[in-house]
Amino acid sequence: MAAPTRQDTKKYFENLSGAGKSIAVLTSGGDAQGMNAAVRAVVRMGIYVGAKVYFIHEGYQGMVDGGENIKEATWESVSSMLQVGGTVIGSARCKEFRTHEGRLRAAHNLVQRGITNLCVIGGDGSLTGANLFREEWSGLLDELLEQGEGRSNSVLHIVGMVGSIDNDFCGTDMTIGTDSALHRIIEVVDAIMTTAQSHQRTFVLEVMGRHCGYLALVSALACGADWVFIPEMPPEDGWEENMCQKLSESRSRGSRLNIIIVAEGAMDRHGKPVTSDFVKDLVVRCLGFDTRVTILGHVQRGGTPSAFDRILASRMGVEAVLALLEASANTPACVVSLVGNQAVRLPLMECVQMTQEVQKAMDEKKFEEAVRLRGRSFENNLNTYKLLSYRKADSELPNVSTQTPQTHQTSSFNVAVMNVGAPAAGMNAAVRSAVRVGISEGHKMFAVSDGFEGFYKGQIKEIKWGDVGGWTGQGGSLLGTKRTLPAKHMDKIAEQMRIHNINALLVIGGFEAYLGLVELSSARDKYSEFCVPMVMVPATVSNNIPGSDLSIGADTALNAITDTCDRIKQSASGTKRRVFIIETMGGYCGYLASVGGLAAGADAVYIYEEPFDIRDLQANVEHLTEKMKTSIQRGLVLRNENCNENFTTDFIYQLYSEEGRGVFDCRKNVLGHMQQGGAPSPFDRNFGTKIAAKAMQWITRKLKESYKGGKVFANSEDTACLLGMRRRAMVFQPVSQIRDETDFVHRIPKEQWWLKLRPLMKILAKYKTSYDVSDSGQLEHVSRLRPKETDTAAI
């Protein structure tokens, strides 16, 4: 019998029917931006597969009270939810649901409507309550039958999604709302830093996080804060003197401001709270600095959800419905989680138990265990912050070269860092991280201006710790970047490598950076100067680098697209019956258009990777014509700049205008270079910081391995690598091996993971489409989530 083909093993969601099923969705606990996007995805996916979907307003309170709190949802009822913060269906604390009588009333209200599938969006308390409800379900039904109500042999299926700005739930790299909360924090920090600089002030910022320091830690990384206090890692005894000494040294090196971030649940080693006011009084008393306190409070919960949270919530909502459709009587309650860039299903109670273990470890003052239980992403953030936050004295720096035998030369290696290609937000955060980690590891760091063009012209100079202060939040490329490739200038570049004795090279950039590294490594036979460790970190808004699922800069560009689309949709809702055609960047790569379309709720997205013809355009016009007959009288169409040389933005605009005449009118907008500009998002700051730190640590290892006979010599494949995120792990891949994965003509990878997200956008826009769910349906376990070398890119 022949082995099954790949086609035979594929599983399509069309084979899963929701006919005869009823799904209810509720939001519980504290609100979080992105909850509405999750509700929208559950409703639309549920209706799409033929199920009845119900809103439960006001969380568990609404389930207990019943009546008008439980209403059937329609496709149009969620049309404006995507860009709205908070939770439109309401959330409330409910003491009654904690009682048996309250849960019996809730069961009665669900049974009346035939609801046996429940999607709960909330924190660990809300999800634990849902699991208890499920365990009691059969007993509750028996009680209702005795009272002459209800039905027998019914099973309650529960799927959870974690909505919490604190990111305090184990098993997922990110919870819905965390990224948006970081956006609010960083907006405030960026604004405060300008006024602090003007007056030479110290600011103490208090952020949310009663039991979890994630927001404080990541915002400290994202703004380069001088000091951070988090519950998981209380400062050592004597921290007061150490902190004041660090602040004083920072000022003596020319800094005009200091930023200290305090999580609201921070405490010292003895369990005494470390408050923002205490820190302020300490700084004033010991240093006399002009110091102010800012408590961000509920600002962090508010505002529009970020692009990341909309995409995360949409993916989780769709996955939650799939999990409910596939559930059997023996399927445990599960929670939909994000690991790396993959949506996975985990047993709910395993995640809850590990979350409780974290709190237990903190109560018992086992802080290192608490950090480990928080997961690899949290641990990496903490380790990177420690690496970057404090400059060691020269006497403390490791003497890299003298650790290797046969050395009689300088006490450090020379490492050059450069930007290549178009500017991308987050490049400067990556450069700052690389420079400071390099100096910490004993290297002398050199900055190359203007890419390979600056390299061959000799625009190379040493860059020191203080030179990169404040770079994290700066957009563009402060080093300067050009698209020039090195092939025509090999002689001059090799000469500059020799003049400055460059022992290793870190290239941060886009497709030109990748091509440049390929050219340099290919020239090693001719030029011994290139026989040094070389590594590339992907940074481009287009996200078109083979070997990496994500690039620095793409998240910032997505937020720029989403913000613009929100404003445009608002304009369209005011005028009614209007369709906007928007052109995005990306070259031949449709990432920005496709994922931006998912985040913005687009009706159609045209990309090069998915060929289309005039019949598809006509079908889209007809789809929009039908849409205009409903209460949603607006349309949004995204077009990647190089999706088709004949079907230009002008052509599509004119076609839609002509075919839609009398039904809707059209407008067009070319977003252009605004997608490359602006301050980097928290994700890009954090991703750039962590990936560059990892690249520098790799360089240090390779330098030690390749230092022989008084010189560095590295010419093996694995010494010229690209560091990229692959599914769940950060991986160093030789550039020579990635060639086979590359479409060099169109400057894109031959296979792109995000193409699997395109059906989601179509489903949520009410198009009939095929959706491969082969990767779904496997219930994993928390303990097996992260292999040893995994370094997830999630912030």
Side-chain angles (χ1 to χ4, degrees):
M1 185 172 163
T5 64
R6 169 70 181 142
Q7 192 65 33
D8 292 332
T9 59
K10 279 191 175 182
K11 185 172 68 172
Y12 292 94
F13 93 104
E14 301 92 289
N15 301 323
L16 298 169
S17 172
K21 296 190 177 183
S22 294
I23 299 170
V25 58
L26 65 90
T27 53
S28 177
D31 64 302
Q33 309 96 319
M35 278 183 163
N36 289 321
V39 170
R40 170 182 178 267
V42 170
V43 169
R44 290 199 165 177
M45 186 65 169
I47 292 172
Y48 192 91
V49 296
K52 270 190 174 182
V53 185
Y54 291 86
F55 292 136
I56 299 179
H57 291 270
E58 312 308 334
Y60 286 118
Q61 189 67 56
M63 198 195 300
V64 171
D65 294 344
E68 284 298 297
N69 288 304
I70 305 177
K71 292 181 183 173
E72 188 172 351
T74 64
W75 190 275
E76 288 78 16
S77 64
V78 294
S79 64
S80 299
M81 277 191 174
L82 199 55
Q83 61 266 37
V84 180
T87 166
V88 170
I89 60 174
S91 179
R93 310 285 181 189
C94 180
K95 289 182 181 177
E96 288 173 89
F97 191 74
R98 295 178 184 176
T99 67
H100 181 79
E101 293 73 19
R103 292 192 289 276
L104 186 64
R105 285 170 59 194
H108 169 73
N109 290 326
L110 295 189
V111 167
Q112 273 191 325
R113 295 163 177 81
I115 297 168
T116 55
N117 296 280
L118 196 57
C119 185
V120 180
I121 307 165
D124 60 340
S126 304
L127 299 180
T128 304
N131 191 64
L132 175 62
F133 190 43
R134 176 184 168 277
E135 288 173 349
E136 291 183 351
W137 182 254
S138 61
L140 294 170
L141 291 192
D142 290 342
E143 285 187 55
L144 290 171
L145 277 170
E146 288 173 15
Q147 298 170 13
E149 301 176 28
R151 64 185 74 174
S152 59
N153 302 321
S154 170
V155 178
L156 180 67
H157 299 298
I158 298 238
V159 174
M161 288 181 271
V162 191
S164 164
I165 67 167
D166 291 335
N167 202 30
D168 57 355
F169 193 80
C170 291
T172 185
D173 285 340
M174 285 292 275
T175 56
I176 295 167
T178 305
D179 187 66
S180 300
L182 285 169
H183 273 257
R184 300 296 92 77
I185 294 169
I186 294 305
E187 284 164 11
V188 172
V189 172
D190 285 352
I192 278 175
M193 287 177 85
T194 57
T195 180
Q197 190 116 21
S198 303
H199 296 277
Q200 296 193 60
R201 282 188 179 135
T202 296
F203 269 89
V204 183
L205 273 85
E206 183 180 303
V207 302
M208 283 184 167
R210 191 169 296 118
H211 303 295
C212 179
Y214 188 89
L215 288 178
L217 178 58
V218 173
S219 53
L221 257 182
C223 72
D226 296 276
W227 204 273
V228 64
F229 295 93
I230 59 172
E232 294 86 349
M233 192 53 64
E236 301 286 349
D237 289 347
W239 65 268
E240 297 92 341
E241 186 180 336
N242 291 337
M243 185 187 77
C244 289
Q245 183 184 348
K246 185 189 171 184
L247 299 180
S248 180
E249 287 175 1
S250 169
R251 290 291 178 96
S252 67
R253 289 198 300 269
S255 173
R256 291 178 59 86
L257 77 157
N258 299 112
I259 300 288
I260 300 166
I261 296 183
V262 182
E264 61 181 338
M267 58 184 68
D268 65 17
R269 295 262 157 182
H270 308 287
K272 180 186 173 186
V274 177
T275 65
S276 48
D277 282 332
F278 178 83
V279 174
K280 175 207 165 182
D281 293 342
L282 175 69
V283 174
V284 172
R285 185 174 70 250
C286 296
L287 299 173
F289 291 172
D290 183 0
T291 307
R292 305 294 165 94
V293 170
T294 298
I295 299 174
L296 298 190
H298 282 72
V299 165
Q300 294 156 89
R301 287 197 189 278
T304 303
S306 66
F308 184 100
D309 270 330
R310 297 183 199 195
I311 296 157
L312 175 66
S314 298
R315 291 177 70 184
M316 284 186 168
V318 168
E319 186 70 24
V321 173
L322 291 175
L324 289 171
L325 293 179
E326 293 176 355
S328 67
N330 300 319
T331 306
C334 75
V335 61
V336 180
S337 298
L338 181 79
V339 183
N341 66 2
Q342 285 189 289
V344 298
R345 300 176 198 171
L346 302 167
L348 171 58
M349 290 317 293
E350 281 188 23
C351 298
V352 169
Q353 283 158 12
M354 187 170 280
T355 304
Q356 291 168 348
E357 282 177 36
V358 175
Q359 192 57 49
K360 184 183 174 190
M362 286 165 62
D363 291 341
E364 295 174 355
K365 296 185 168 52
K366 297 177 180 176
F367 299 113
E368 288 185 9
E369 185 181 337
V371 169
R372 182 180 58 77
L373 288 168
R374 280 274 182 236
R376 180 72 65 169
S377 179
F378 189 95
E379 208 172 354
N380 285 337
N381 283 316
L382 185 57
N383 291 337
T384 307
Y385 181 79
K386 287 177 179 176
L387 204 59
L388 294 168
S389 64
Y390 187 53
R391 183 181 180 179
K392 298 172 184 171
D394 290 340
S395 59
E396 295 179 76
L397 290 173
N399 196 332
V400 180
S401 296
T402 54
Q403 289 170 356
T404 313
Q406 309 152 312
T407 178
H408 305 288
Q409 54 162 33
T410 61
S411 61
S412 64
F413 290 115
N414 294 349
V415 180
V417 58
M418 62 195 296
N419 294 156
V420 176
M427 274 182 164
N428 297 319
V431 171
R432 170 187 175 270
S433 175
V435 168
R436 292 197 168 178
V437 172
I439 291 170
S440 291
E441 301 208 338
H443 308 313
K444 189 181 276 190
M445 299 300 297
F446 286 83
V448 181
S449 300
D450 297 337
F452 286 114
E453 186 173 315
F455 210 146
Y456 81 78
K457 290 180 178 176
Q459 294 169 210
I460 306 166
K461 63 177 182 180
E462 188 178 353
I463 186 165
K464 300 191 174 175
W465 188 280
D467 296 337
V468 291
W471 279 34
T472 316
Q474 300 280 333
S477 167
L478 293 170
L479 285 185
T481 182
K482 295 266 178 90
R483 295 179 182 271
T484 310
L485 292 173
K488 295 178 181 176
H489 311 285
M490 288 296 187
D491 288 342
K492 290 181 179 177
I493 292 173
E495 183 185 358
Q496 291 299 329
M497 294 274 286
R498 198 163 52 249
I499 291 169
H500 294 278
N501 189 26
I502 302 298
N503 306 123
L505 185 62
L506 170 61
V507 184
I508 301 163
F511 205 83
E512 289 84 4
Y514 164 59
L515 292 176
L517 205 59
V518 168
E519 290 176 4
L520 289 180
S521 59
S522 299
R524 280 173 162 178
D525 291 343
K526 188 175 178 184
Y527 301 96
S528 62
E529 290 84 358
F530 301 143
C531 294
V532 297
M534 297 187 282
V535 63
M536 178 205 159
V537 167
T540 167
V541 300
S542 302
N543 198 33
N544 63 330
I545 307 300
S548 189
D549 292 347
L550 291 171
S551 298
I552 299 164
D555 183 72
T556 306
L558 277 177
N559 279 290
I561 292 167
T562 307
D563 289 348
T564 305
C565 289
D566 284 353
R567 294 176 189 181
I568 282 170
K569 283 170 75 176
Q570 193 175 46
S571 153
S573 66
T575 52
K576 305 290 185 191
R577 300 183 182 278
R578 181 163 285 176
V579 174
F580 279 87
I581 319 288
I582 297 175
E583 182 186 297
T584 68
M585 289 177 111
Y588 285 96
C589 180
Y591 176 82
L592 287 182
S594 294
V595 182
L598 181 59
D603 296 283
V605 176
Y606 302 118
I607 61 169
Y608 166 77
E609 293 91 341
E610 195 173 284
F612 58 98
D613 57 24
I614 196 70
R615 289 181 295 274
D616 297 307
L617 292 170
Q618 184 62 39
N620 294 147
V621 171
E622 290 168 4
H623 184 88
L624 283 164
T625 301
E626 287 301 308
K627 186 180 179 183
M628 295 298 161
K629 295 175 184 175
T630 71
S631 59
I632 317 170
Q633 297 182 345
R634 62 177 184 272
L636 186 66
V637 175
L638 269 60
R639 177 191 177 274
N640 166 249
E641 60 185 348
N642 287 349
C643 65
N644 187 296
E645 62 180 334
N646 294 315
F647 299 141
T648 62
T649 301
D650 282 337
F651 177 90
I652 293 173
Y653 163 70
Q654 288 165 4
L655 175 76
Y656 271 67
S657 297
E658 181 61 32
E659 294 296 315
R661 193 186 297 276
V663 181
F664 58 80
D665 63 351
C666 282
R667 297 289 186 274
K668 63 178 176 179
N669 197 316
V670 178
L671 299 186
H673 283 73
M674 66 171 283
Q675 294 158 88
Q676 285 182 345
S681 68
F683 185 99
D684 278 329
R685 298 182 195 199
N686 186 251
F687 185 37
T689 298
K690 287 202 291 187
I691 195 171
K694 195 170 181 70
M696 281 306 304
Q697 289 169 325
W698 177 88
I699 281 175
T700 297
R701 287 198 305 274
K702 291 299 177 186
L703 283 169
K704 289 178 183 177
E705 290 169 11
S706 58
Y707 187 82
K708 289 172 186 151
K711 63 178 288 190
V712 174
F713 186 81
N715 69 342
S716 58
E717 272 192 343
D718 65 349
T719 57
C721 284
L722 180 146
L723 173 55
M725 180 181 171
R726 280 286 176 91
R727 291 168 74 87
R728 304 186 187 188
M730 297 299 302
V731 186
F732 290 94
Q733 305 142 97
V735 289
S736 56
Q737 293 179 14
I738 303 174
R739 285 180 172 186
D740 293 340
E741 302 174 26
T742 310
D743 176 349
F744 285 99
V745 175
H746 299 102
R747 298 158 59 92
I748 53 175
K750 289 178 182 175
E751 288 190 18
Q752 306 194 76
W753 70 272
W754 52 265
L755 285 169
K756 284 190 174 181
L757 300 183
R758 278 185 65 79
L760 300 191
M761 186 271 299
K762 293 178 182 178
I763 288 165
L764 298 176
K766 216 173 185 177
Y767 283 93
K768 288 294 177 190
T769 187
S770 185
Y771 181 31
D772 179 6
V773 293
S774 306
D775 291 340
S776 297
Q778 299 300 313
L779 197 65
E780 301 191 17
H781 294 280
V782 181
S783 57
R784 293 193 285 110
L785 267 181
R786 295 181 178 89
K788 192 175 178 185
E789 288 304 309
T790 298
D791 178 8
T792 60
I795 61 176

